[in-house]
Amino acid sequence: EYTLYQHSYLGYGLMEARKKIKALIAQEASASGKFSVEHPCFPAGFREEVTAGDGKSQVTIKGMSKDALASQKSSDTCYQQVRRIINKDVPCAEKPCSFEGVYQPELDKTFIDNPFYIFSYFYDRTFPLGVRDEFKLADVKALTEKVCKHDVSLFAAKEQQEEVGAENHYCMDLAFQYSLLRDGVGMPENRTVRSTRKIKDAETGWCLGASLAVLDQNKYCKYKSY
């Protein structure tokens, strides 16, 4: 017998997180009277028109030039921006909470011994860059710092260089993933996690967890006696 805990954090998938982060960047620029801003979350050459969080202003977000990147630790700046969408200040009605005021059993007590798996975009962003099967959250942080330098030559393998060069959101995505686990879920950096596409030949992903939530909410599996 198992006690099952599940929660679906709507709006915190990778694509929705990107929208939130960009809208926040645009909102801050607009509030400062700017209609264009360079940001270290993105590499040189990146350019996107974004509607600010107020829904009114249009701001051009650009990648930061290499000269500007050299003068700062871009991973820290990007991380500080990203972690702002992790709402830790929402009141916690039933403690302990993770973020958004959502109850969550404490990781260091409830899940101290059992393996901890992360799926979907966590796998998609770490596996191609050499992070394999079992690793620590600190390894995700180190990879984020490396990617956020926006220098593909830091990766020895050609396929990894091509992977990073083909996706302008790698730095922001990894910073978000790290913040979601560290700040949101409360995972310590020395915690070992596993990432895979399959467990015992069963495909992993968010769909199954979302299905469990929908089935439970709508009681599709309940029946009545007549």
Side-chain angles (χ1 to χ4, degrees), residues 157-176:
K158 183 180 179 181
E159 58 269 22
Q160 292 179 354
Q161 293 179 359
E162 293 175 347
E163 175 75 18
V164 175
E167 176 53 79
N168 290 321
H169 294 82
Y170 245 112
C171 172
M172 186 176 72
D173 289 350
L174 285 169
F176 166 65

Side-chain angles (χ1 to χ4, degrees), residues 5-6 11 25 29 34 59-60 62 90-91 95 102 110 117 119 121-122 129 146 169 177 189 193 198-199 204 218:
Y5 166 83
Q6 68 82 26
I25 294 172
K34 300 177 182 178
V59 175
T60 302
K62 302 177 182 177
V90 177
K95 296 182 179 181
V102 176
T110 312
Y117 282 90
F119 309 127
Y121 58 77
F122 289 97
L129 300 186
K146 186 176 180 179
H169 294 82
Q177 291 176 196
E189 288 194 351
V193 296
K198 290 185 177 183
I199 298 178
T204 63
N218 293 282

Side-chain angles (χ1 to χ4, degrees), residues 20-146:
K20 287 182 179 180
I21 297 164
K22 290 176 184 177
L24 182 59
I25 294 172
Q27 181 63 40
E28 292 175 343
S30 177
S32 301
K34 300 177 182 178
F35 297 97
S36 177
V37 60
E38 289 189 353
H39 203 279
C41 276
F42 308 100
F46 174 84
R47 182 186 181 95
E48 184 175 328
E49 299 291 329
V50 177
T51 302
D54 58 10
K56 301 176 182 179
S57 308
Q58 285 287 116
V59 175
T60 302
I61 298 179
K62 302 177 182 177
M64 188 163 281
S65 66
K66 291 184 178 181
D67 291 339
L69 284 171
S71 64
Q72 61 175 290
K73 191 172 182 179
S74 53
S75 61
D76 285 350
T77 307
C78 185
Y79 165 67
Q80 293 301 329
Q81 180 76 58
V82 166
R83 73 195 298 259
R84 293 180 61 187
I85 72 167
I86 308 294
N87 293 321
K88 291 288 289 184
D89 297 329
V90 177
C92 179
E94 183 180 356
K95 296 182 179 181
C97 286
S98 54
F99 63 105
E100 292 282 7
V102 176
Y103 166 78
Q104 173 195 283
E106 293 184 66
L107 289 183
D108 59 346
K109 294 180 180 178
T110 312
F111 306 110
I112 189 170
D113 296 321
N114 295 325
F116 193 103
Y117 282 90
I118 54 179
F119 309 127
S120 192
Y121 58 77
F122 289 97
Y123 178 91
D124 296 338
R125 281 292 172 266
T126 56
F127 188 84
L129 300 186
V131 178
R132 294 290 188 263
D133 300 335
E134 187 171 295
F135 50 93
K136 295 184 183 297
L137 183 58
D139 297 323
V140 177
K141 181 181 181 181
L143 179 61
T144 303
E145 292 174 348
K146 186 176 180 179

